[in-house]
Amino acid sequence: MKQDILDKSPEEITDILKQIGEPSFRGKQLLNWLYRGTKSFEDMTNLPKHTRIKLKERYMIGRVKQIKKMTSDNSDTIKYLCLLHDSNIIECVVMRYDYGNTLCLSTQVGCRMGCSFCESTRQGLIRNLEVGEMVGQVLMVNADLGEAEKRNIRNVVLMGSGEPLDNYDNVVKFLNLIHDPNTLNISFRNITLSTCGLVPRMRELADMDMPITLAVSLHAPNDESRRRIMPVASAYSVREVVEAAKYYFERTGRRVSFEYSLMEGVNDGVEQAEELGRLLEDFPCHVNIIPINTIEGAPYRRSPEVRIQLFEKSLRSAGIQVTRRRELGHEIGGACGQLKRGYVDTLQR
Ligand code: SF4
């Protein structure tokens, strides 16, 4: 199979063109076509014909194909199912905010982290996504939002299926690629990477000179309760995760946010909020509380409103900055993995 040219960095694109005898300025021309969403080398009319033929012989453009799209009732969330070349399916979600469109994308097919509340890990890790498959999600969505919106994706969140730091090299290459002024020119400050807390990789990322926002999925204030819902807690303690987050903040100056999914009777008590408050005391961070959607057949239930509010209040009284994450389109399967499961179920019926 031909290689996907979207896997290539700007430097690699320049080298490819050099190898077929073209000057380096052709690299910018080619990138310009690719990141405007052009799907065929033949349409790149400012490249010489023989160059277009050579490119077409060796490369393809993009391997991500939209197969289903669901829009929430108020149109502020759009969820896409995408087919990959090997018949695997991934999903990504666009969230519309006043300040622009944000894309939440996947970094792996499946995930091996085994968080017990997460649909994406049910079948384990199937494979890592290639760089071009992450780029392809952004370009697919840009094409779908189209000219009419004139508001292409400006914010990227790595929070779909997969643990981004478990696909480290491809994810770092992808982030550098979409940040490049000759591609999508997305500011590092507009990128958030969510991790379940792979401590060595968090520290490595801190040293990369890439000031993106780090969101750490904590979901519990101590090792014992975290181990019950997140197997990764057996490898890295809550203390180690928080220390790595502090290191990230020191190195990048970027405030870290901790994600805390509230599940009724599991981690939503006032005493747990107080323990979390003590854990994060004196660390200028942010806690995002996320009341989970109740998923049919899953063992966890959404916390009642009164418990959510008490939890939030208790964290605030401990001096922690808290936000409650906007709840995304319940009716379109807002939780990670739900839409994919619904689609696959339909195929199997
Ligand atoms: S929550 Fe994230 S890290 Fe945990 S299993 Fe799901 S995709 Fe993987």
Side-chain angles (χ1 to χ4, degrees), residues 306-325:
V306 61
R307 283 178 80 87
I308 299 172
Q309 287 182 15
L310 277 174
F311 192 93
E312 187 175 347
K313 194 171 158 209
S314 170
L315 271 183
R316 282 191 202 288
S317 349
I320 307 287
Q321 285 207 28
V322 191
T323 43
R324 178 166 166 178
R325 172 140 15 116

Side-chain angles (χ1 to χ4, degrees), residues 108 110-122 159-164 194-197 217 219 229-232 336:
Q108 296 180 312
C111 180
R112 62 179 170 148
M113 295 299 142
C115 305
S116 61
F117 47 83
C118 175
E119 187 62 39
S120 300
T121 196
R122 294 275 164 98
M159 230 179 242
S161 73
E163 161 55 57
S194 168
T195 178
C196 64
S217 298
H219 308 311
I229 51 177
M230 299 177 76
V232 71
C336 161

Side-chain angles (χ1 to χ4, degrees), residues 254-274:
R254 302 289 292 153
R255 197 174 59 156
V256 172
S257 65
F258 290 96
E259 308 285 304
Y260 197 103
S261 294
L262 281 180
M263 296 165 245
E264 184 180 13
V266 175
N267 61 357
D268 64 343
V270 166
E271 57 296 348
Q272 279 140 325
E274 287 167 355

Side-chain angles (χ1 to χ4, degrees), residues 1 4 6-7 62-64 82-86 88 90 92 105-109 127-140 167 170 174:
M1 200 178 79
D4 185 357
L6 297 180
D7 285 335
R63 291 174 294 198
V64 175
C82 311
L83 183 69
L84 305 177
H85 68 93
D86 55 1
N88 277 308
I90 51 167
C92 56
L105 55 79
S106 294
T107 53
Q108 296 180 312
V109 184
R127 70 172 174 86
N128 282 330
L129 288 191
E130 299 297 335
V131 175
E133 291 170 326
M134 292 180 255
V135 172
Q137 293 172 68
V138 187
L139 295 183
M140 183 274 291
N167 185 11
N170 284 348
F174 162 69

Side-chain angles (χ1 to χ4, degrees), residues 153-166:
I153 295 302
R154 301 311 307 156
N155 304 283
V156 168
V157 184
L158 275 55
M159 230 179 242
S161 73
E163 161 55 57
L165 297 184
D166 193 37

